[in-house]
Amino acid sequence: MAEEVILLDYWSSMFGMRTRVALEEKGVKYKYREEDLSNKSPLLLEMNPIHMKIPVLIHKGKPICESIIQVQYIDEVWPDTNPILPFDPYQRAQARFWSDYICKKFLVLVMRMFDMFYINMLMSDTLTMVWKKKSISALCLMFDMSFRLVRSSW
């Protein structure tokens, strides 16, 4: 159990996917434990008592929470195989900046989009059509603005 790696996750979690990709890229053998998000396991609650959410990476019996932190941890603990972040400190800072930017801007938009479509499913047909048109227009504008910002920094 000393080197055992366990990932508590849910199959469709985009944050868990980030950690799974890092583990696979590094060739780290790990046990995958699917979590029932409506009935969280005692292990999940014990390993992440503050947020009580997935993914949780458990290495040597100690939990590492938050997928960005997990990816950095994986890169540092297994440095000999397929580096995830650049070696150069400036390039590493740039990679972290874009990762943070995508998390704060793009992923938030995607999650809001799913929320909007879920709300649309609950609304009456007339209201749904108006809401969809406004939601899609707003999302297109936000995506366009985000891509312009990214492109202008190249």
Side-chain angles (χ1 to χ4, degrees):
M1 175 147 178
E3 275 298 316
E4 185 175 45
V5 177
I6 301 169
L7 180 62
L8 307 179
D9 196 10
Y10 185 70
W11 71 272
S12 65
S13 166
M14 63 182 133
F15 303 105
M17 287 178 198
R18 179 186 291 157
T19 302
R20 291 193 304 266
V21 167
L23 289 166
E24 294 294 332
E25 282 294 315
K26 291 289 194 170
V28 177
K29 295 194 185 307
Y30 65 97
K31 289 183 182 176
Y32 177 85
R33 290 205 33 192
E34 182 87 10
E35 284 291 323
D36 177 355
L37 301 180
S38 61
N39 184 24
K40 297 176 180 176
S41 72
L43 183 60
L44 174 61
L45 298 176
E46 176 189 343
M47 292 293 154
N48 194 354
I50 296 171
H51 297 295
M52 296 177 262
K53 63 182 184 177
I54 52 124
V56 177
L57 180 69
I58 304 168
H59 181 228
K60 297 182 180 179
K62 296 178 183 173
I64 299 93
C65 302
E66 299 298 325
S67 60
I68 290 283
I69 296 167
Q70 292 167 356
V71 170
Q72 293 173 1
Y73 178 84
I74 291 164
D75 203 30
E76 291 170 7
V77 171
W78 293 279
D80 299 332
T81 312
N82 299 330
I84 295 169
L85 292 171
F87 179 73
D88 178 71
Y90 178 77
Q91 291 177 343
R92 194 167 47 247
Q94 291 298 302
R96 287 181 174 144
F97 168 81
W98 285 113
S99 176
D100 182 66
Y101 179 83
I102 289 168
C103 280
K104 289 181 178 170
K105 305 294 182 192
F106 183 73
L107 292 180
V108 168
L109 289 176
V110 171
M111 293 175 86
R112 284 187 185 157
M113 181 178 70
F114 285 123
D115 288 345
M116 284 187 231
F117 285 117
Y118 179 72
I119 290 168
N120 287 339
M121 290 176 8
L122 300 176
M123 298 172 81
S124 71
D125 290 338
T126 307
L127 287 174
T128 300
M129 291 306 291
V130 172
W131 185 258
K132 280 183 181 176
K133 286 179 183 176
K134 288 186 178 188
S135 300
I136 291 170
S137 296
L139 281 171
C140 288
L141 178 63
M142 288 181 193
F143 279 124
D144 184 56
M145 290 170 59
S146 295
F147 288 126
R148 285 174 193 241
L149 280 171
V150 170
R151 208 173 335 138
S152 69
S153 68
W154 289 346

